[in-house]
């Protein structure tokens, strides 16, 4: 477990008593707790989620100032492989928090998919933005449905990413395997758009918040377009599974989005583990919820964040007791 607490040493406590301060007054300022949040590729929205949360946690801490919350939490949000990687690492105690798609959160707690670690101890904290599944097709490919990718060079995403799993779900729905593609590449989210523009691949699947700078590299940069995905298989997926819903990528989002795009999507969710102490999750939740205006301003995908939705939409794991405590105090739960 990377969660590391450096306790105040006995000598320091003795010295504080000499200054007329009790050890408990100072304990939280001297005691540091290090937390890591798993995100996704550096050009994705998860990376912004994780780093925004850290920013709010640090802002709240305000150690060294006369006012401010002295929780002693130090936060880092490194780039990672994405949803299923984050869940696996949280389950092993290597990460305290992570961002994960609602479909993979569901499967992790229910043990219902081999594509993600079975993790009964996974806990929900809140949900963030919606993530439409994007099928991005290169200019001139004429791809108009998922099955049109047959015979093409398709990026199915890096192992550990949420989009890799969701692309595979779609492939299974259509009875396709990687043999149906001329090539199935495993590029990361930060590589795929440039590869498309360089003519190395014809299409890729990506589950991501809107708008996304990575997607615009392909759409605005080299005329790639987002395909409507509302066929029979997508309709069945939405009808059968609580974590999928139809959604729209609005006209005008990117240069090539002349009309609304209809596709299915998931929610990005913020998750933790039952072994992460209640006070740590409480402080992180509190920092986020008490600075929601800041959060909303940090990425256009966060613009409409509303606590009423954040504490329920897309959450299938039990809410972590530290988060539940804060929501109960607010009268939200
Ligand atoms: N949904 C993607 C995944 O789970 C990540 C999207 C992002 O980085 O914003 O891997």
């Amino acid at each position: 477990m990377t969660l590391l607490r450096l306790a105040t040493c006995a000598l320091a406590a003795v010295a504080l008593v000499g200054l007329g301060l009790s050890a408990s007054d100072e304990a939280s300022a001297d005691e540091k707790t290090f937390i890591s949040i798993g995100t996704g590729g550096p050009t994705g929205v998860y990376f912004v989620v994780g780093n925004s949360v850290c920013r709010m946690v640090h802002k709240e801490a305000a150690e060294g100032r006369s006012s401010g919350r002295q929780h002693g939490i130090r936060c880092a949000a490194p780039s990672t492989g994405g949803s299923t990687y984050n869940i696996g690492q949280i389950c092993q105690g290597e990460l305290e928090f992570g961002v994960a798609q609602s479909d993979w959160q569901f499967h992790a707690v229910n043990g219902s998919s081999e594509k993600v670690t079975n993790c009964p101890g996974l806990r929900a904290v809140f949900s963030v933005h919606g993530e439409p599944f994007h099928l991005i097709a290169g200019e001139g490919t004429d791809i108009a449905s998922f099955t049109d990718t047959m015979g093409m060079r398709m990026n199915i995403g890096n192992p550990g990413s949420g989009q890799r799993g969701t692309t595979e779900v779609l492939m299974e729905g259509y009875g396709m395997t990687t043999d149906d593609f001329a090539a199935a590449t495993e590029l990361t989210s930060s590589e795929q758009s440039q590869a498309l523009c360089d003519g190395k691949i014809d299409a890729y699947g990506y589950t991501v918040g809107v708008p996304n700078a990575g997607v615009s590299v392909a759409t605005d940069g080299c005329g790639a377009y987002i395909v409507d995905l509302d066929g029979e298989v997508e309709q069945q997926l939405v009808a059968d599974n609580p974590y999928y819903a139809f959604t729209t990528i609005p006209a005008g989002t990117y240069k090539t989005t002349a009309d609304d795009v209809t596709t299915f999507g998931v929610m990005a969710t913020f998750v933790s583990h039952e072994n992460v102490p209640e006070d740590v999750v409480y402080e992180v939740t509190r920092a986020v919820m008490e600075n929601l205006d800041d959060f909303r301003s940090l990425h256009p995908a966060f613009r409409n964040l509303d606590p009423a939705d954040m504490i329920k939409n897309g959450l299938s794991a039990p809410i972590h007791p530290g988060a539940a405590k804060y929501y109960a105090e607010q009268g939200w739960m």
Side-chain angles (χ1 to χ4, degrees):
M1 182 122 188
T2 55
L3 188 81
L4 191 64
R5 293 193 157 196
L6 304 177
T8 313
C9 75
L11 258 181
V14 171
L16 291 173
V17 172
L19 291 171
L21 295 169
S22 78
S24 62
D25 286 339
E26 285 300 307
S28 53
D30 286 356
E31 190 179 278
K32 301 279 180 274
T33 301
F34 293 90
I35 59 167
S36 297
I37 303 172
T39 63
T43 55
V45 184
Y46 284 14
F47 193 66
V48 188
V49 172
N51 284 283
S52 301
V53 171
C54 285
R55 182 174 158 146
M56 293 182 277
V57 166
H58 291 155
K59 174 186 166 186
E60 276 278 295
E63 280 92 355
R65 298 184 211 164
S66 52
S67 65
R69 200 157 176 92
Q70 314 244 315
H71 53 51
I73 298 176
R74 292 290 181 276
C75 183
S79 162
T80 72
S83 287
T84 53
Y85 173 88
N86 295 341
I87 290 172
Q89 295 297 102
I90 288 171
C91 213
Q92 287 175 30
E94 295 293 336
L95 292 170
E96 286 69 42
F97 296 92
V99 194
Q101 291 179 201
S102 51
D103 47 352
W104 301 118
Q105 179 190 139
F106 178 97
H107 290 305
V109 277
N110 291 300
S112 44
S113 171
E114 286 169 2
K115 300 186 203 302
V116 65
T117 308
N118 180 8
C119 188
L122 193 72
R123 292 293 174 265
V125 183
F126 51 81
S127 58
V128 201
H129 55 283
E131 295 191 277
F133 182 84
H134 296 57
L135 173 60
I136 314 249
E139 186 175 25
T141 56
D142 285 339
I143 294 171
S145 68
F146 192 74
T147 47
D148 284 348
T149 59
M150 286 192 199
M152 303 259 180
R153 295 162 305 164
M154 170 82 167
N155 184 47
I156 59 174
N158 63 287
S161 67
Q163 69 257 27
R164 170 60 173 270
T166 309
T167 300
E168 287 176 349
V169 167
L170 215 40
M171 287 165 58
E172 285 157 19
Y174 280 107
M176 291 163 65
T177 69
T178 50
D179 292 342
D180 289 305
F181 302 120
T185 59
E186 298 188 310
L187 302 174
T188 64
S189 59
S190 46
E191 296 167 329
Q192 59 200 3
S193 287
Q194 199 52 53
L196 193 79
C197 289
D198 290 345
K200 294 183 175 134
I201 55 170
D202 301 305
Y204 65 82
Y206 191 21
T207 329
V208 71
V210 178
N212 169 244
V215 169
S216 72
V217 167
T219 53
D220 300 18
C222 63
Y225 61 96
I226 311 171
V227 178
D228 283 300
L229 288 179
D230 53 359
E232 221 174 281
V233 167
E234 292 86 0
Q235 285 179 24
Q236 203 62 50
L237 285 175
V238 170
D240 291 349
N241 299 295
Y243 42 79
Y244 291 137
F246 276 112
T247 178
T248 298
I249 301 165
T253 303
Y254 301 106
K255 270 192 190 160
T256 54
T257 345
D259 302 307
D260 286 356
V261 176
T262 303
T263 182
F264 70 104
V266 294
M267 294 295 295
T269 68
F270 194 74
V271 292
S272 186
H273 194 274
E274 63 179 1
N275 291 345
V276 178
E278 186 174 318
D279 59 334
V280 173
V281 180
Y282 176 87
E283 289 294 345
V284 171
T285 306
R286 181 186 181 284
V288 168
M289 294 299 166
E290 307 226 326
N291 292 285
L292 261 189
D293 280 336
D294 281 1
F295 198 6
R296 291 188 190 103
S297 71
L298 291 170
H299 193 284
F302 309 153
R303 199 178 290 145
N304 298 319
L305 289 181
D306 176 357
D309 297 329
M310 294 170 79
I311 67 172
K312 76 171 195 296
N313 290 356
L315 306 182
S316 38
I319 305 264
H320 192 288
K325 182 180 164 200
Y326 180 78
Y327 302 148
E329 279 174 8
Q330 300 304 306
W332 296 343
M333 257 182 161

